[in-house]
Amino acid sequence: MSIIISIMCISLIIISPSSATSTKLVCHMTNWAQYRPASGKFTADHIDPFLCTHVVYALATINSFNQLIPTEWNDEDQYKMLNNLKDINPLLKTLLSVGGSTNGISPFIGMVSKPENRAVFMKSAISFLRKNNFDGLNLDWEFPGQSGSMGSDKDRFSDLVAELDEAFVQEAKDTRKTQLLLTANVAAFLPIINRAYDVPKIAPHLDFINVMTYDYHGHWEARTSHNSPLFKSSIDSGSQLQHNINSSISHWLSLGAPADKLLLGFSTYGRTYSLRGSDSTLGALSTGAGEAGPYTRTAGLWSYYEVCSFINGASVHWIPEQKVPYATNGVVWVGYDNVQSFAAKVEWMNTKSLGGAHVWTLDLDDFSGVFCSEGAYPLVTNLRNSMGFPPKPTAPPRPTTTKDPIVSFCAGRPDGLYENVADKTTYLQCFNGITYVQRCQPGLIYYDACKCCNYP
Ligand SMILES: *[C@@H]1O[C@H](CO)[C@@H](O)[C@H](O)[C@H]1NC(C)=O
């Protein structure tokens, strides 16, 4: 028994984070990354099941009958790929994000407009999430009170969030399943925050709030500036003084958002400009977007793996007052994030006791490691490490004896979950022939029929 306990402790330490407050590392993936060519192509089976605590699948939408529906022909195959990762890491949580727009109009506008529309949406969302084995929903309305949405949608959004929470609580009671998580991606610009959210009304109902602390600056402006700076720059003026992480998060906190529910947004991409003249500093005049990258094929934006191919040979600079880098070569200027800027943001995030980080996106990091020679997922891996998560379980826990039946249980067995006949409050997880003893949440026991923990 003592051996079992010691192995159990090892595996629990390996998988659960040690830091008291920043316990979440939420990673987004997009279902359009599958269309990037060659080594840029990304599907859910590229995800490392131990890298993030939560993965958010973007994007689902809402049809004209107010039902949650997929957006891609193969979404249900990718849902399976994603949710099968939970057989390898049972602590991984997955969420489906709903949002987008049709002709610039958010599908939320019509859905929230009437209580009966919201009721249809909630019912369809719950059954769709359960059918596809997701653990929760991510609301990505950009934004209430913006782009064709009326000022009154601020209250409609509060209604939606409160009603969804109530519906999720009730469904969990009725089905005795773990309650679905409810989360939202929210604005970082102060005027939009003020128009879109009644923070004291929505915050209690959300499990966590992803503040989209990126896209502060880009080629739509006349001068070069950084995509996701931590602080204001001395060349900022007017409303630009608020276009930084510190201003956004301070504002969310001042409106009453609990720090431990706010997640800081980390971008695994940079924003590019074409320089107008010979000035290539921060604030240099620009003629517009830099050329599209060969993989992301979007003018003005480069994935980290496209940036790292560029910086080899470019002139790289650090902006000390904003704690982020930029690189320039010829007429090209790119403001991006790297391991150092992520570490600076984590340090700042810890001083604010935020709930953790969310990353846009896994598919824009060097997910395979083939481009940057820094290993797979260099940015997210470093983020995970600087947040104080323990190393991922790639090396086997060192058993004290190899004769123990539990330790050798997985030798020669397929990956997956198995019953521990000696203790039903735990179960055995096999991964690459290694045995991990996992414990159900208090009060639950393991059932092999559903490969899950449930009430006795
Ligand atoms: C961070 O934001 C707060 C609140 O707006 C402000 O008082 C403080 O000066 C900012 N810090 C820096 C370094 O810009």
Side-chain angles (χ1 to χ4, degrees):
M1 196 60 199
S2 66
I3 294 163
I4 298 175
I5 289 168
S6 73
I7 299 165
M8 195 167 65
C9 291
I10 291 166
S11 74
L12 288 176
I13 288 164
I14 285 169
I15 298 176
S16 56
S18 62
S19 156
T21 53
S22 292
T23 55
K24 293 186 182 74
L25 176 52
V26 176
C27 300
H28 301 267
M29 67 155 280
T30 58
N31 61 0
W32 55 90
Q34 63 176 314
Y35 299 118
R36 294 185 191 133
S39 304
K41 179 184 163 83
F42 180 96
T43 45
D45 50 351
H46 288 92
I47 296 172
D48 173 342
F50 293 102
L51 185 60
C52 309
T53 60
H54 301 66
V55 176
V56 182
Y57 187 105
L59 198 63
T61 190
I62 305 166
N63 67 14
S64 53
F65 305 105
N66 304 301
Q67 294 159 323
L68 179 72
I69 53 160
T71 54
E72 283 292 346
W73 61 281
N74 63 345
D75 271 338
E76 305 206 3
D77 297 336
Q78 288 221 68
Y79 298 161
K80 273 204 195 83
M81 286 178 197
L82 171 61
N83 288 316
N84 283 346
L85 300 176
K86 293 188 279 190
D87 291 342
I88 304 172
N89 179 6
L91 296 183
L92 179 68
K93 299 287 180 201
T94 62
L95 299 103
L96 182 61
S97 185
V98 56
S101 62
T102 310
N103 304 321
I105 298 294
S106 166
F108 277 96
I109 298 172
M111 185 271 283
V112 297
S113 64
K114 293 183 189 146
E116 54 271 33
N117 293 359
R118 298 197 294 270
V120 170
F121 172 75
M122 284 185 261
K123 201 160 170 255
S124 82
I126 290 171
S127 77
F128 194 80
L129 294 170
R130 290 302 191 194
K131 181 179 126 211
N132 291 293
N133 194 22
F134 281 99
D135 302 298
L137 184 66
N138 172 253
L139 304 171
D140 189 15
W141 181 357
E142 299 179 15
F143 300 97
Q146 283 284 122
S147 318
S149 155
M150 314 284 275
S152 56
D153 280 343
K154 180 182 196 168
D155 293 332
R156 299 291 82 75
F157 185 62
S158 300
D159 293 342
L160 175 71
V161 168
E163 290 165 8
L164 272 169
D165 182 21
E166 195 189 334
F168 285 4
V169 168
Q170 191 57 47
E171 190 262 355
K173 265 196 202 135
D174 293 346
T175 62
R176 299 190 130 206
K177 288 183 180 156
T178 306
Q179 192 181 319
L180 292 165
L181 297 168
L182 182 59
T183 70
N185 291 349
V186 299
F189 288 141
L190 274 58
I192 298 182
I193 298 169
N194 295 339
R195 263 202 301 279
Y197 313 110
D198 187 334
V199 176
K201 280 211 178 120
I202 61 171
H205 299 292
L206 295 168
D207 289 286
F208 52 86
I209 300 169
N210 302 327
V211 188
M212 295 191 278
T213 45
Y214 33 75
D215 301 337
Y216 286 105
H217 296 283
H219 58 84
W220 51 88
E221 295 172 316
R223 290 175 183 275
T224 59
S225 196
H226 198 278
N227 175 53
S228 181
L230 186 46
F231 300 111
K232 64 176 187 246
S233 141
S234 48
I235 63 167
D236 286 337
S237 61
S239 63
Q240 287 184 335
L241 290 165
Q242 298 169 335
H243 288 198
N244 57 76
I245 291 172
N246 176 53
S247 292
S248 299
I249 298 292
S250 300
H251 193 61
W252 271 97
L253 291 169
S254 74
L255 293 172
D260 64 356
K261 285 195 179 184
L262 290 181
L263 304 192
L264 185 60
F266 288 73
S267 50
T268 53
Y269 62 90
R271 288 201 171 272
T272 65
Y273 298 80
S274 288
L275 297 170
R276 182 182 289 277
S278 58
D279 181 8
S280 62
T281 58
L282 181 70
L285 283 171
S286 149
T287 58
E291 260 182 56
Y295 299 96
T296 51
R297 300 183 292 195
T298 306
L301 184 147
W302 281 348
S303 64
Y304 178 67
Y305 60 83
E306 289 165 326
V307 170
C308 87
S309 312
F310 170 80
I311 55 182
N312 194 359
S315 153
V316 176
H317 305 265
W318 180 254
I319 312 168
E321 53 184 4
Q322 302 192 287
K323 297 197 187 286
V324 282
Y326 69 90
T328 178
N329 194 359
V331 296
V332 183
W333 194 101
V334 59
Y336 62 101
D337 273 90
N338 61 9
V339 170
Q340 287 77 24
S341 64
F342 270 26
K345 290 173 184 181
V346 168
E347 198 178 310
W348 181 86
M349 177 175 101
N350 290 339
T351 67
K352 299 283 174 189
S353 304
L354 302 188
H358 74 104
V359 181
W360 188 272
T361 60
L362 287 174
D363 46 80
L364 296 171
D365 194 359
D366 185 16
F367 57 88
S368 61
V370 301
F371 291 95
C372 309
S373 307
E374 298 167 354
Y377 294 105
L379 287 186
V380 185
T381 301
N382 271 282
L383 176 57
R384 184 191 153 83
N385 294 343
S386 52
M387 285 175 71
F389 284 91
K392 292 178 290 155
T394 44
R398 230 150 275 122
T400 43
T401 161
T402 49
K403 286 205 198 79
D404 185 273
I406 297 295
V407 171
S408 54
F409 180 84
C410 291
R413 275 184 218 258
D415 290 351
L417 305 185
Y418 298 88
E419 188 170 25
N420 181 6
V421 286
D423 178 3
K424 301 274 239 169
T425 65
T426 67
Y427 54 94
L428 305 175
Q429 174 198 351
C430 296
F431 181 52
N432 289 343
I434 300 153
T435 311
Y436 298 88
V437 182
Q438 306 286 6
R439 192 187 269 288
C440 293
Q441 284 177 3
L444 307 186
I445 63 170
Y446 179 78
Y447 289 93
D448 207 47
C450 62
K451 305 270 178 213
C452 69
C453 298
N454 211 332
Y455 295 95

